[in-house]
Amino acid sequence: MSEPTRRLAVLGDGDPAAAIRSAVDGAGARLVDHTEADAVVAVGDAALRKAMRAAATDDGRSSPILPIGDGRHAVNPDLAADRIADADDWLGGSASAVDGFARVPHPVLAVDGTGDGRRRFAAADVAFVTAEPARISEYGIAFSDGESVSVRADGAVIATPLGSDGYAAAAGGPVVSPGGGLSVVPVSPFTTRPETWVASGGVRVTVEREAEPVALVVDGERRGTVEPHRAVGVEIAATVDLLSATAE
């Protein structure tokens, strides 16, 4: 009896994604929907974030994700296409590393307490920003270790390691390695000595002023307005294994 065919999902558009689908077909693997896949190949940042958010909502079922692109955590498209033929190697078992790849856990964030009863997920970052440009509000940030701070700023962003080199870094925050915590950064703070933090767990953010409406932005998409004085929780909902190329 032949071995069962590995099932792969490929997310993304354009020529790079088409080339990966051809490589999957040529390797004898079966293309399926991401909900049925043994692993997901995500081509581009948007596809990677979609795959990670989906993994967090799949009732604990988490397939490893191979990110393809030019980002910090992504694999070069040519290398990925060459290695699709070795899918049995990098899908098999739970080893932390296989030949040429490491399985690195990355967190996915859940946002709760916005007042509308909906739970939202973020692979990269969650931002609280004043709806009108260059308008200051005040944010209370409570950390899981009991520490709390209050900052006056245009906003505040909480980023996973995956997203810490994006909006959070542009706002002056640290770039965090996988497993290093969450980057917590005020946006344009009203102070000459701004502080940033690396949180070991989740945080709770409260808008402490009613003067300016504050928007909730999840992975770069506006998802409503945050009510003043209502604590919004940003917690690690799940971890997803990304396959990262190791040094040869």
Side-chain angles (χ1 to χ4, degrees):
M1 180 180 295
S2 62
E3 292 293 323
T5 301
R6 291 295 187 181
R7 300 171 300 173
L8 300 181
V10 179
L11 301 182
D13 300 311
D15 291 341
I20 293 298
R21 291 186 178 94
S22 294
V24 169
D25 186 61
R30 184 156 61 95
L31 281 168
V32 297
D33 185 81
H34 74 273
T35 59
E36 303 173 348
D38 298 311
V40 176
V41 182
V43 184
D45 289 344
L48 175 58
R49 295 177 185 187
K50 177 181 178 180
M52 292 182 68
R53 291 193 298 264
T57 61
D58 282 348
D59 298 324
R61 181 184 183 277
S62 178
S63 302
I65 300 171
L66 177 64
I68 296 177
D70 56 7
R72 181 165 59 109
H73 300 280
V75 175
N76 177 276
D78 292 335
L79 173 62
D82 289 343
R83 294 302 306 274
I84 290 294
D86 301 324
D88 282 352
D89 290 341
W90 50 263
L91 289 177
S94 57
S96 61
V98 295
D99 183 25
F101 288 94
R103 295 168 67 114
V104 182
H106 285 256
V108 179
L109 301 178
V111 184
D112 291 296
T114 56
D116 60 4
R118 297 177 59 193
R119 194 177 208 207
R120 298 165 172 86
F121 295 92
D125 52 39
V126 177
F128 301 79
V129 293
T130 50
E132 295 295 327
R135 301 300 293 268
I136 288 176
S137 190
E138 190 163 350
Y139 302 87
I141 303 173
F143 298 88
S144 59
D145 62 1
E147 180 184 1
S148 61
V149 296
S150 183
V151 296
R152 294 183 66 198
D154 287 2
V157 58
I158 299 94
T160 66
L162 180 72
S164 65
D165 59 355
Y167 187 31
V175 175
V176 182
S177 296
L182 306 177
S183 178
V184 182
V185 189
V187 178
S188 299
F190 191 67
T191 177
T192 59
R193 299 183 63 183
E195 291 185 287
T196 64
W197 303 269
V198 176
S200 59
V203 301
R204 300 185 72 79
V205 179
T206 305
V207 177
E208 297 181 338
R209 292 179 59 183
E210 299 182 8
E212 302 295 337
V214 172
L216 175 68
V217 182
V218 179
D219 276 352
E221 296 184 7
R222 181 167 173 166
R223 294 299 185 91
T225 302
V226 180
E227 296 180 15
H229 312 299
R230 176 188 288 274
V232 177
V234 181
E235 305 286 345
I236 296 174
T239 57
V240 180
D241 281 349
L242 300 191
L243 295 162
S244 176
T246 56
E248 295 296 336

